[in-house]
Amino acid sequence: MFKRKLTTLSFEGNKIKCLTMQGNRIHAWGSEVVPSEQMNQGVIHDPQTVSKTLSQLLEDTKASRRRVITSVTDQRSIHRIMTLPDIKEDLLEETILRKAKQEFPTPADETDFAWKIVHRSGNQIALYVLAVPKIVIDRQVETLRAANIKPKVMDAKPIALMHAINKETCIILNLESYSMAVILVVNHLPAIVRTVPLENNQLTKEAKLNLLSQELARTIKFYNESHKANPLPDETPVFPTGEHFEFPRLEERLSNRPDLLNRLETSTPYPIETPDPPLPFPAELPIANYAVNIGLAIKGTR
């Protein structure tokens, strides 16, 4: 039986990452670096030129242009958890947009809003809402259109990482060349999302790790002091993701941990665990590097 392909795209820093699924299995993956004057911090400055790089990446990975899911960068963006009454589906989008425009301190005519329903309880809906500068979305859409792509879904990067890790309560770290993030997940909700740009890509991995460790410590302290009656459990796992965390092959992970992970382990009292996505994947796949794509793929196969 013919199995349809799914393509996932992540625009990160000055790099485009592509991962494809065929059926329920990861088929191929790859990435292309884009000159920083064309794309920086995941923001595209030259859609027509970047579309050519994107098209070449799709050819190299034999990716489909029909079923495509892309991530929305969280750089220059604002995150919120909002709750709404569980209203009719045909009124939901209008209600979310109206409430978001009231709550976010950004000009409504310069902002696009992406959201995800993360929890329903009784007559309440909990939403993760991302306010993104309109120019970021417009240029990504223009790039995709120039490459003859109409995305099926555009999903927020933190939500994609949550899909990839798939834990009720955890801490997700993301360390890339041009950004770092700490995502604290509690009861399947992104309780805190901290994203910090790294403008200077000349920093060493160790220097970036030190900055990430400091941000992790601040995030944990803030959450625990704000929830003294119910702080994070001692066994809350920490999952490092991003291109700077390279894991050994699957069968070697428990006995051969990279030095960067060992350094990270000394900076937090919580256990460090390697991601183990809830779908079949080849042992040679660099799962930390493609964690966002993996999360998009999980969403696309549901």
mmCIF file with all atom_site columns, all heavy atoms in Angstrom, residues 128-154:
data_model
loop_
_atom_site.group_PDB
_atom_site.id
_atom_site.type_symbol
_atom_site.label_atom_id
_atom_site.label_alt_id
_atom_site.label_comp_id
_atom_site.label_asym_id
_atom_site.label_entity_id
_atom_site.label_seq_id
_atom_site.pdbx_PDB_ins_code
_atom_site.Cartn_x
_atom_site.Cartn_y
_atom_site.Cartn_z
_atom_site.occupancy
_atom_site.B_iso_or_equiv
_atom_site.pdbx_formal_charge
_atom_site.auth_seq_id
_atom_site.auth_comp_id
_atom_site.auth_asym_id
_atom_site.auth_atom_id
_atom_site.pdbx_PDB_model_num
ATOM 1   N N   . TYR A 1 128 ? -2.075 27.705 24.753 1.00 0.00 ? 128 TYR A N   1
ATOM 2   C CA  . TYR A 1 128 ? -0.757 28.321 24.647 1.00 0.00 ? 128 TYR A CA  1
ATOM 3   C C   . TYR A 1 128 ? -0.827 29.276 23.463 1.00 0.00 ? 128 TYR A C   1
ATOM 4   O O   . TYR A 1 128 ? -1.175 28.878 22.347 1.00 0.00 ? 128 TYR A O   1
ATOM 5   C CB  . TYR A 1 128 ? 0.322  27.273 24.415 1.00 0.00 ? 128 TYR A CB  1
ATOM 6   C CG  . TYR A 1 128 ? 1.671  27.868 24.093 1.00 0.00 ? 128 TYR A CG  1
ATOM 7   C CD1 . TYR A 1 128 ? 2.498  28.360 25.100 1.00 0.00 ? 128 TYR A CD1 1
ATOM 8   C CD2 . TYR A 1 128 ? 2.114  27.947 22.781 1.00 0.00 ? 128 TYR A CD2 1
ATOM 9   C CE1 . TYR A 1 128 ? 3.723  28.914 24.803 1.00 0.00 ? 128 TYR A CE1 1
ATOM 10  C CE2 . TYR A 1 128 ? 3.345  28.489 22.482 1.00 0.00 ? 128 TYR A CE2 1
ATOM 11  C CZ  . TYR A 1 128 ? 4.150  28.979 23.494 1.00 0.00 ? 128 TYR A CZ  1
ATOM 12  O OH  . TYR A 1 128 ? 5.363  29.534 23.190 1.00 0.00 ? 128 TYR A OH  1
ATOM 13  N N   . VAL A 1 129 ? -0.529 30.550 23.693 1.00 0.00 ? 129 VAL A N   1
ATOM 14  C CA  . VAL A 1 129 ? -0.637 31.562 22.644 1.00 0.00 ? 129 VAL A CA  1
ATOM 15  C C   . VAL A 1 129 ? 0.722  32.221 22.436 1.00 0.00 ? 129 VAL A C   1
ATOM 16  O O   . VAL A 1 129 ? 1.391  32.606 23.400 1.00 0.00 ? 129 VAL A O   1
ATOM 17  C CB  . VAL A 1 129 ? -1.695 32.632 22.996 1.00 0.00 ? 129 VAL A CB  1
ATOM 18  C CG1 . VAL A 1 129 ? -1.854 33.634 21.843 1.00 0.00 ? 129 VAL A CG1 1
ATOM 19  C CG2 . VAL A 1 129 ? -3.034 31.978 23.307 1.00 0.00 ? 129 VAL A CG2 1
ATOM 20  N N   . LEU A 1 130 ? 1.113  32.340 21.184 1.00 0.00 ? 130 LEU A N   1
ATOM 21  C CA  . LEU A 1 130 ? 2.386  32.938 20.811 1.00 0.00 ? 130 LEU A CA  1
ATOM 22  C C   . LEU A 1 130 ? 2.093  34.160 19.951 1.00 0.00 ? 130 LEU A C   1
ATOM 23  O O   . LEU A 1 130 ? 1.411  34.053 18.922 1.00 0.00 ? 130 LEU A O   1
ATOM 24  C CB  . LEU A 1 130 ? 3.239  31.932 20.033 1.00 0.00 ? 130 LEU A CB  1
ATOM 25  C CG  . LEU A 1 130 ? 4.645  32.359 19.623 1.00 0.00 ? 130 LEU A CG  1
ATOM 26  C CD1 . LEU A 1 130 ? 5.536  32.482 20.849 1.00 0.00 ? 130 LEU A CD1 1
ATOM 27  C CD2 . LEU A 1 130 ? 5.243  31.351 18.638 1.00 0.00 ? 130 LEU A CD2 1
ATOM 28  N N   . ALA A 1 131 ? 2.576  35.319 20.378 1.00 0.00 ? 131 ALA A N   1
ATOM 29  C CA  . ALA A 1 131 ? 2.439  36.550 19.598 1.00 0.00 ? 131 ALA A CA  1
ATOM 30  C C   . ALA A 1 131 ? 3.739  36.768 18.832 1.00 0.00 ? 131 ALA A C   1
ATOM 31  O O   . ALA A 1 131 ? 4.806  36.938 19.429 1.00 0.00 ? 131 ALA A O   1
ATOM 32  C CB  . ALA A 1 131 ? 2.160  37.732 20.521 1.00 0.00 ? 131 ALA A CB  1
ATOM 33  N N   . VAL A 1 132 ? 3.658  36.730 17.511 1.00 0.00 ? 132 VAL A N   1
ATOM 34  C CA  . VAL A 1 132 ? 4.826  36.803 16.644 1.00 0.00 ? 132 VAL A CA  1
ATOM 35  C C   . VAL A 1 132 ? 4.729  38.053 15.784 1.00 0.00 ? 132 VAL A C   1
ATOM 36  O O   . VAL A 1 132 ? 3.647  38.357 15.250 1.00 0.00 ? 132 VAL A O   1
ATOM 37  C CB  . VAL A 1 132 ? 4.908  35.562 15.722 1.00 0.00 ? 132 VAL A CB  1
ATOM 38  C CG1 . VAL A 1 132 ? 6.202  35.560 14.928 1.00 0.00 ? 132 VAL A CG1 1
ATOM 39  C CG2 . VAL A 1 132 ? 4.764  34.290 16.528 1.00 0.00 ? 132 VAL A CG2 1
ATOM 40  N N   . PRO A 1 133 ? 5.832  38.805 15.626 1.00 0.00 ? 133 PRO A N   1
ATOM 41  C CA  . PRO A 1 133 ? 5.777  39.948 14.701 1.00 0.00 ? 133 PRO A CA  1
ATOM 42  C C   . PRO A 1 133 ? 5.286  39.505 13.325 1.00 0.00 ? 133 PRO A C   1
ATOM 43  O O   . PRO A 1 133 ? 5.757  38.510 12.785 1.00 0.00 ? 133 PRO A O   1
ATOM 44  C CB  . PRO A 1 133 ? 7.230  40.427 14.658 1.00 0.00 ? 133 PRO A CB  1
ATOM 45  C CG  . PRO A 1 133 ? 7.815  39.995 15.966 1.00 0.00 ? 133 PRO A CG  1
ATOM 46  C CD  . PRO A 1 133 ? 7.142  38.680 16.280 1.00 0.00 ? 133 PRO A CD  1
ATOM 47  N N   . LYS A 1 134 ? 4.345  40.244 12.769 1.00 0.00 ? 134 LYS A N   1
ATOM 48  C CA  . LYS A 1 134 ? 3.713  39.870 11.500 1.00 0.00 ? 134 LYS A CA  1
ATOM 49  C C   . LYS A 1 134 ? 4.745  39.673 10.389 1.00 0.00 ? 134 LYS A C   1
ATOM 50  O O   . LYS A 1 134 ? 4.599  38.774 9.547  1.00 0.00 ? 134 LYS A O   1
ATOM 51  C CB  . LYS A 1 134 ? 2.699  40.936 11.106 1.00 0.00 ? 134 LYS A CB  1
ATOM 52  C CG  . LYS A 1 134 ? 1.843  40.567 9.905  1.00 0.00 ? 134 LYS A CG  1
ATOM 53  C CD  . LYS A 1 134 ? 0.838  41.661 9.592  1.00 0.00 ? 134 LYS A CD  1
ATOM 54  C CE  . LYS A 1 134 ? -0.249 41.747 10.632 1.00 0.00 ? 134 LYS A CE  1
ATOM 55  N NZ  . LYS A 1 134 ? -1.163 40.573 10.589 1.00 0.00 ? 134 LYS A NZ  1
ATOM 56  N N   . ILE A 1 135 ? 5.787  40.473 10.402 1.00 0.00 ? 135 ILE A N   1
ATOM 57  C CA  . ILE A 1 135 ? 6.781  40.377 9.339  1.00 0.00 ? 135 ILE A CA  1
ATOM 58  C C   . ILE A 1 135 ? 7.475  39.015 9.335  1.00 0.00 ? 135 ILE A C   1
ATOM 59  O O   . ILE A 1 135 ? 7.860  38.492 8.287  1.00 0.00 ? 135 ILE A O   1
ATOM 60  C CB  . ILE A 1 135 ? 7.821  41.526 9.457  1.00 0.00 ? 135 ILE A CB  1
ATOM 61  C CG1 . ILE A 1 135 ? 8.675  41.593 8.184  1.00 0.00 ? 135 ILE A CG1 1
ATOM 62  C CG2 . ILE A 1 135 ? 8.679  41.366 10.706 1.00 0.00 ? 135 ILE A CG2 1
ATOM 63  C CD1 . ILE A 1 135 ? 9.571  42.810 8.145  1.00 0.00 ? 135 ILE A CD1 1
ATOM 64  N N   . VAL A 1 136 ? 7.614  38.400 10.512 1.00 0.00 ? 136 VAL A N   1
ATOM 65  C CA  . VAL A 1 136 ? 8.244  37.076 10.600 1.00 0.00 ? 136 VAL A CA  1
ATOM 66  C C   . VAL A 1 136 ? 7.394  36.034 9.871  1.00 0.00 ? 136 VAL A C   1
ATOM 67  O O   . VAL A 1 136 ? 7.902  35.248 9.059  1.00 0.00 ? 136 VAL A O   1
ATOM 68  C CB  . VAL A 1 136 ? 8.449  36.677 12.075 1.00 0.00 ? 136 VAL A CB  1
ATOM 69  C CG1 . VAL A 1 136 ? 8.971  35.246 12.174 1.00 0.00 ? 136 VAL A CG1 1
ATOM 70  C CG2 . VAL A 1 136 ? 9.415  37.648 12.760 1.00 0.00 ? 136 VAL A CG2 1
ATOM 71  N N   . ILE A 1 137 ? 6.095  36.023 10.160 1.00 0.00 ? 137 ILE A N   1
ATOM 72  C CA  . ILE A 1 137 ? 5.191  35.065 9.521  1.00 0.00 ? 137 ILE A CA  1
ATOM 73  C C   . ILE A 1 137 ? 5.067  35.366 8.029  1.00 0.00 ? 137 ILE A C   1
ATOM 74  O O   . ILE A 1 137 ? 5.122  34.453 7.186  1.00 0.00 ? 137 ILE A O   1
ATOM 75  C CB  . ILE A 1 137 ? 3.800  35.098 10.184 1.00 0.00 ? 137 ILE A CB  1
ATOM 76  C CG1 . ILE A 1 137 ? 3.912  34.761 11.679 1.00 0.00 ? 137 ILE A CG1 1
ATOM 77  C CG2 . ILE A 1 137 ? 2.857  34.131 9.486  1.00 0.00 ? 137 ILE A CG2 1
ATOM 78  C CD1 . ILE A 1 137 ? 4.380  33.363 11.963 1.00 0.00 ? 137 ILE A CD1 1
ATOM 79  N N   . ASP A 1 138 ? 4.902  36.645 7.685  1.00 0.00 ? 138 ASP A N   1
ATOM 80  C CA  . ASP A 1 138 ? 4.711  37.018 6.279  1.00 0.00 ? 138 ASP A CA  1
ATOM 81  C C   . ASP A 1 138 ? 5.889  36.575 5.419  1.00 0.00 ? 138 ASP A C   1
ATOM 82  O O   . ASP A 1 138 ? 5.704  36.049 4.312  1.00 0.00 ? 138 ASP A O   1
ATOM 83  C CB  . ASP A 1 138 ? 4.507  38.518 6.154  1.00 0.00 ? 138 ASP A CB  1
ATOM 84  C CG  . ASP A 1 138 ? 3.156  38.982 6.686  1.00 0.00 ? 138 ASP A CG  1
ATOM 85  O OD1 . ASP A 1 138 ? 2.308  38.108 6.969  1.00 0.00 ? 138 ASP A OD1 1
ATOM 86  O OD2 . ASP A 1 138 ? 2.958  40.206 6.839  1.00 0.00 ? 138 ASP A OD2 1
ATOM 87  N N   . ARG A 1 139 ? 7.099  36.759 5.922  1.00 0.00 ? 139 ARG A N   1
ATOM 88  C CA  . ARG A 1 139 ? 8.273  36.398 5.124  1.00 0.00 ? 139 ARG A CA  1
ATOM 89  C C   . ARG A 1 139 ? 8.461  34.886 5.045  1.00 0.00 ? 139 ARG A C   1
ATOM 90  O O   . ARG A 1 139 ? 8.925  34.369 4.031  1.00 0.00 ? 139 ARG A O   1
ATOM 91  C CB  . ARG A 1 139 ? 9.524  37.071 5.694  1.00 0.00 ? 139 ARG A CB  1
ATOM 92  C CG  . ARG A 1 139 ? 9.548  38.567 5.400  1.00 0.00 ? 139 ARG A CG  1
ATOM 93  C CD  . ARG A 1 139 ? 10.792 39.227 5.921  1.00 0.00 ? 139 ARG A CD  1
ATOM 94  N NE  . ARG A 1 139 ? 10.836 40.638 5.542  1.00 0.00 ? 139 ARG A NE  1
ATOM 95  C CZ  . ARG A 1 139 ? 11.738 41.503 6.001  1.00 0.00 ? 139 ARG A CZ  1
ATOM 96  N NH1 . ARG A 1 139 ? 12.666 41.085 6.862  1.00 0.00 ? 139 ARG A NH1 1
ATOM 97  N NH2 . ARG A 1 139 ? 11.720 42.757 5.617  1.00 0.00 ? 139 ARG A NH2 1
ATOM 98  N N   . GLN A 1 140 ? 8.077  34.175 6.097  1.00 0.00 ? 140 GLN A N   1
ATOM 99  C CA  . GLN A 1 140 ? 8.156  32.716 6.019  1.00 0.00 ? 140 GLN A CA  1
ATOM 100 C C   . GLN A 1 140 ? 7.140  32.196 5.011  1.00 0.00 ? 140 GLN A C   1
ATOM 101 O O   . GLN A 1 140 ? 7.458  31.321 4.203  1.00 0.00 ? 140 GLN A O   1
ATOM 102 C CB  . GLN A 1 140 ? 7.918  32.090 7.387  1.00 0.00 ? 140 GLN A CB  1
ATOM 103 C CG  . GLN A 1 140 ? 8.070  30.568 7.381  1.00 0.00 ? 140 GLN A CG  1
ATOM 104 C CD  . GLN A 1 140 ? 8.115  29.974 8.772  1.00 0.00 ? 140 GLN A CD  1
ATOM 105 O OE1 . GLN A 1 140 ? 8.728  30.538 9.675  1.00 0.00 ? 140 GLN A OE1 1
ATOM 106 N NE2 . GLN A 1 140 ? 7.462  28.849 8.970  1.00 0.00 ? 140 GLN A NE2 1
ATOM 107 N N   . VAL A 1 141 ? 5.928  32.733 5.052  1.00 0.00 ? 141 VAL A N   1
ATOM 108 C CA  . VAL A 1 141 ? 4.897  32.319 4.092  1.00 0.00 ? 141 VAL A CA  1
ATOM 109 C C   . VAL A 1 141 ? 5.326  32.667 2.665  1.00 0.00 ? 141 VAL A C   1
ATOM 110 O O   . VAL A 1 141 ? 5.136  31.869 1.736  1.00 0.00 ? 141 VAL A O   1
ATOM 111 C CB  . VAL A 1 141 ? 3.548  32.981 4.436  1.00 0.00 ? 141 VAL A CB  1
ATOM 112 C CG1 . VAL A 1 141 ? 2.531  32.764 3.316  1.00 0.00 ? 141 VAL A CG1 1
ATOM 113 C CG2 . VAL A 1 141 ? 3.007  32.425 5.749  1.00 0.00 ? 141 VAL A CG2 1
ATOM 114 N N   . GLU A 1 142 ? 5.912  33.835 2.482  1.00 0.00 ? 142 GLU A N   1
ATOM 115 C CA  . GLU A 1 142 ? 6.377  34.232 1.146  1.00 0.00 ? 142 GLU A CA  1
ATOM 116 C C   . GLU A 1 142 ? 7.464  33.281 0.649  1.00 0.00 ? 142 GLU A C   1
ATOM 117 O O   . GLU A 1 142 ? 7.488  32.908 -0.534 1.00 0.00 ? 142 GLU A O   1
ATOM 118 C CB  . GLU A 1 142 ? 6.911  35.668 1.194  1.00 0.00 ? 142 GLU A CB  1
ATOM 119 C CG  . GLU A 1 142 ? 7.326  36.205 -0.165 1.00 0.00 ? 142 GLU A CG  1
ATOM 120 C CD  . GLU A 1 142 ? 7.852  37.633 -0.103 1.00 0.00 ? 142 GLU A CD  1
ATOM 121 O OE1 . GLU A 1 142 ? 7.674  38.300 0.937  1.00 0.00 ? 142 GLU A OE1 1
ATOM 122 O OE2 . GLU A 1 142 ? 8.466  38.075 -1.097 1.00 0.00 ? 142 GLU A OE2 1
ATOM 123 N N   . THR A 1 143 ? 8.356  32.874 1.533  1.00 0.00 ? 143 THR A N   1
ATOM 124 C CA  . THR A 1 143 ? 9.421  31.935 1.165  1.00 0.00 ? 143 THR A CA  1
ATOM 125 C C   . THR A 1 143 ? 8.839  30.586 0.764  1.00 0.00 ? 143 THR A C   1
ATOM 126 O O   . THR A 1 143 ? 9.230  29.998 -0.245 1.00 0.00 ? 143 THR A O   1
ATOM 127 C CB  . THR A 1 143 ? 10.396 31.754 2.342  1.00 0.00 ? 143 THR A CB  1
ATOM 128 O OG1 . THR A 1 143 ? 10.946 33.022 2.693  1.00 0.00 ? 143 THR A OG1 1
ATOM 129 C CG2 . THR A 1 143 ? 11.523 30.800 1.985  1.00 0.00 ? 143 THR A CG2 1
ATOM 130 N N   . LEU A 1 144 ? 7.901  30.093 1.562  1.00 0.00 ? 144 LEU A N   1
ATOM 131 C CA  . LEU A 1 144 ? 7.266  28.813 1.259  1.00 0.00 ? 144 LEU A CA  1
ATOM 132 C C   . LEU A 1 144 ? 6.505  28.876 -0.063 1.00 0.00 ? 144 LEU A C   1
ATOM 133 O O   . LEU A 1 144 ? 6.575  27.955 -0.879 1.00 0.00 ? 144 LEU A O   1
ATOM 134 C CB  . LEU A 1 144 ? 6.324  28.421 2.398  1.00 0.00 ? 144 LEU A CB  1
ATOM 135 C CG  . LEU A 1 144 ? 6.978  28.127 3.746  1.00 0.00 ? 144 LEU A CG  1
ATOM 136 C CD1 . LEU A 1 144 ? 5.927  28.055 4.841  1.00 0.00 ? 144 LEU A CD1 1
ATOM 137 C CD2 . LEU A 1 144 ? 7.784  26.848 3.702  1.00 0.00 ? 144 LEU A CD2 1
ATOM 138 N N   . ARG A 1 145 ? 5.805  29.969 -0.288 1.00 0.00 ? 145 ARG A N   1
ATOM 139 C CA  . ARG A 1 145 ? 5.038  30.114 -1.532 1.00 0.00 ? 145 ARG A CA  1
ATOM 140 C C   . ARG A 1 145 ? 5.980  30.124 -2.745 1.00 0.00 ? 145 ARG A C   1
ATOM 141 O O   . ARG A 1 145 ? 5.680  29.506 -3.780 1.00 0.00 ? 145 ARG A O   1
ATOM 142 C CB  . ARG A 1 145 ? 4.218  31.401 -1.484 1.00 0.00 ? 145 ARG A CB  1
ATOM 143 C CG  . ARG A 1 145 ? 3.280  31.561 -2.681 1.00 0.00 ? 145 ARG A CG  1
ATOM 144 C CD  . ARG A 1 145 ? 2.524  32.871 -2.633 1.00 0.00 ? 145 ARG A CD  1
ATOM 145 N NE  . ARG A 1 145 ? 1.655  32.950 -1.467 1.00 0.00 ? 145 ARG A NE  1
ATOM 146 C CZ  . ARG A 1 145 ? 1.782  33.862 -0.500 1.00 0.00 ? 145 ARG A CZ  1
ATOM 147 N NH1 . ARG A 1 145 ? 2.753  34.767 -0.566 1.00 0.00 ? 145 ARG A NH1 1
ATOM 148 N NH2 . ARG A 1 145 ? 0.955  33.875 0.499  1.00 0.00 ? 145 ARG A NH2 1
ATOM 149 N N   . ALA A 1 146 ? 7.118  30.808 -2.623 1.00 0.00 ? 146 ALA A N   1
ATOM 150 C CA  . ALA A 1 146 ? 8.082  30.856 -3.722 1.00 0.00 ? 146 ALA A CA  1
ATOM 151 C C   . ALA A 1 146 ? 8.675  29.477 -4.007 1.00 0.00 ? 146 ALA A C   1
ATOM 152 O O   . ALA A 1 146 ? 9.115  29.202 -5.136 1.00 0.00 ? 146 ALA A O   1
ATOM 153 C CB  . ALA A 1 146 ? 9.192  31.854 -3.407 1.00 0.00 ? 146 ALA A CB  1
ATOM 154 N N   . ALA A 1 147 ? 8.691  28.606 -2.986 1.00 0.00 ? 147 ALA A N   1
ATOM 155 C CA  . ALA A 1 147 ? 9.170  27.227 -3.160 1.00 0.00 ? 147 ALA A CA  1
ATOM 156 C C   . ALA A 1 147 ? 8.033  26.273 -3.502 1.00 0.00 ? 147 ALA A C   1
ATOM 157 O O   . ALA A 1 147 ? 8.199  25.051 -3.442 1.00 0.00 ? 147 ALA A O   1
ATOM 158 C CB  . ALA A 1 147 ? 9.882  26.766 -1.895 1.00 0.00 ? 147 ALA A CB  1
ATOM 159 N N   . ASN A 1 148 ? 6.868  26.839 -3.827 1.00 0.00 ? 148 ASN A N   1
ATOM 160 C CA  . ASN A 1 148 ? 5.693  26.057 -4.224 1.00 0.00 ? 148 ASN A CA  1
ATOM 161 C C   . ASN A 1 148 ? 5.186  25.173 -3.087 1.00 0.00 ? 148 ASN A C   1
ATOM 162 O O   . ASN A 1 148 ? 4.832  24.014 -3.275 1.00 0.00 ? 148 ASN A O   1
ATOM 163 C CB  . ASN A 1 148 ? 5.999  25.198 -5.463 1.00 0.00 ? 148 ASN A CB  1
ATOM 164 C CG  . ASN A 1 148 ? 4.737  24.695 -6.140 1.00 0.00 ? 148 ASN A CG  1
ATOM 165 O OD1 . ASN A 1 148 ? 3.683  25.326 -6.062 1.00 0.00 ? 148 ASN A OD1 1
ATOM 166 N ND2 . ASN A 1 148 ? 4.840  23.555 -6.799 1.00 0.00 ? 148 ASN A ND2 1
ATOM 167 N N   . ILE A 1 149 ? 5.151  25.749 -1.886 1.00 0.00 ? 149 ILE A N   1
ATOM 168 C CA  . ILE A 1 149 ? 4.691  25.034 -0.694 1.00 0.00 ? 149 ILE A CA  1
ATOM 169 C C   . ILE A 1 149 ? 3.567  25.829 -0.043 1.00 0.00 ? 149 ILE A C   1
ATOM 170 O O   . ILE A 1 149 ? 3.690  27.038 0.180  1.00 0.00 ? 149 ILE A O   1
ATOM 171 C CB  . ILE A 1 149 ? 5.831  24.861 0.338  1.00 0.00 ? 149 ILE A CB  1
ATOM 172 C CG1 . ILE A 1 149 ? 6.940  23.974 -0.232 1.00 0.00 ? 149 ILE A CG1 1
ATOM 173 C CG2 . ILE A 1 149 ? 5.297  24.275 1.638  1.00 0.00 ? 149 ILE A CG2 1
ATOM 174 C CD1 . ILE A 1 149 ? 8.173  23.951 0.635  1.00 0.00 ? 149 ILE A CD1 1
ATOM 175 N N   . LYS A 1 150 ? 2.482  25.138 0.267  1.00 0.00 ? 150 LYS A N   1
ATOM 176 C CA  . LYS A 1 150 ? 1.413  25.694 1.086  1.00 0.00 ? 150 LYS A CA  1
ATOM 177 C C   . LYS A 1 150 ? 1.323  24.835 2.325  1.00 0.00 ? 150 LYS A C   1
ATOM 178 O O   . LYS A 1 150 ? 0.820  23.707 2.284  1.00 0.00 ? 150 LYS A O   1
ATOM 179 C CB  . LYS A 1 150 ? 0.085  25.694 0.341  1.00 0.00 ? 150 LYS A CB  1
ATOM 180 C CG  . LYS A 1 150 ? -1.039 26.363 1.120  1.00 0.00 ? 150 LYS A CG  1
ATOM 181 C CD  . LYS A 1 150 ? -2.332 26.379 0.334  1.00 0.00 ? 150 LYS A CD  1
ATOM 182 C CE  . LYS A 1 150 ? -3.451 27.053 1.136  1.00 0.00 ? 150 LYS A CE  1
ATOM 183 N NZ  . LYS A 1 150 ? -4.728 27.072 0.388  1.00 0.00 ? 150 LYS A NZ  1
ATOM 184 N N   . PRO A 1 151 ? 1.838  25.319 3.453  1.00 0.00 ? 151 PRO A N   1
ATOM 185 C CA  . PRO A 1 151 ? 1.911  24.446 4.637  1.00 0.00 ? 151 PRO A CA  1
ATOM 186 C C   . PRO A 1 151 ? 0.544  24.038 5.151  1.00 0.00 ? 151 PRO A C   1
ATOM 187 O O   . PRO A 1 151 ? -0.413 24.815 5.136  1.00 0.00 ? 151 PRO A O   1
ATOM 188 C CB  . PRO A 1 151 ? 2.649  25.311 5.664  1.00 0.00 ? 151 PRO A CB  1
ATOM 189 C CG  . PRO A 1 151 ? 2.402  26.719 5.230  1.00 0.00 ? 151 PRO A CG  1
ATOM 190 C CD  . PRO A 1 151 ? 2.322  26.673 3.731  1.00 0.00 ? 151 PRO A CD  1
ATOM 191 N N   . LYS A 1 152 ? 0.470  22.788 5.586  1.00 0.00 ? 152 LYS A N   1
ATOM 192 C CA  . LYS A 1 152 ? -0.751 22.263 6.197  1.00 0.00 ? 152 LYS A CA  1
ATOM 193 C C   . LYS A 1 152 ? -0.978 22.905 7.559  1.00 0.00 ? 152 LYS A C   1
ATOM 194 O O   . LYS A 1 152 ? -2.099 23.248 7.929  1.00 0.00 ? 152 LYS A O   1
ATOM 195 C CB  . LYS A 1 152 ? -0.621 20.746 6.343  1.00 0.00 ? 152 LYS A CB  1
ATOM 196 C CG  . LYS A 1 152 ? -1.767 20.054 7.035  1.00 0.00 ? 152 LYS A CG  1
ATOM 197 C CD  . LYS A 1 152 ? -1.481 18.562 7.189  1.00 0.00 ? 152 LYS A CD  1
ATOM 198 C CE  . LYS A 1 152 ? -2.576 17.863 7.974  1.00 0.00 ? 152 LYS A CE  1
ATOM 199 N NZ  . LYS A 1 152 ? -2.245 16.430 8.179  1.00 0.00 ? 152 LYS A NZ  1
ATOM 200 N N   . VAL A 1 153 ? 0.098  23.070 8.314  1.00 0.00 ? 153 VAL A N   1
ATOM 201 C CA  . VAL A 1 153 ? 0.040  23.624 9.669  1.00 0.00 ? 153 VAL A CA  1
ATOM 202 C C   . VAL A 1 153 ? 1.321  24.409 9.921  1.00 0.00 ? 153 VAL A C   1
ATOM 203 O O   . VAL A 1 153 ? 2.393  24.044 9.435  1.00 0.00 ? 153 VAL A O   1
ATOM 204 C CB  . VAL A 1 153 ? -0.088 22.506 10.734 1.00 0.00 ? 153 VAL A CB  1
ATOM 205 C CG1 . VAL A 1 153 ? -0.068 23.104 12.139 1.00 0.00 ? 153 VAL A CG1 1
ATOM 206 C CG2 . VAL A 1 153 ? -1.353 21.686 10.534 1.00 0.00 ? 153 VAL A CG2 1
ATOM 207 N N   . MET A 1 154 ? 1.209  25.497 10.696 1.00 0.00 ? 154 MET A N   1
ATOM 208 C CA  . MET A 1 154 ? 2.374  26.194 11.229 1.00 0.00 ? 154 MET A CA  1
ATOM 209 C C   . MET A 1 154 ? 2.251  26.136 12.745 1.00 0.00 ? 154 MET A C   1
ATOM 210 O O   . MET A 1 154 ? 1.267  26.631 13.304 1.00 0.00 ? 154 MET A O   1
ATOM 211 C CB  . MET A 1 154 ? 2.446  27.633 10.726 1.00 0.00 ? 154 MET A CB  1
ATOM 212 C CG  . MET A 1 154 ? 2.581  27.743 9.218  1.00 0.00 ? 154 MET A CG  1
ATOM 213 S SD  . MET A 1 154 ? 2.648  29.455 8.601  1.00 0.00 ? 154 MET A SD  1
ATOM 214 C CE  . MET A 1 154 ? 4.316  29.919 9.089  1.00 0.00 ? 154 MET A CE  1
#
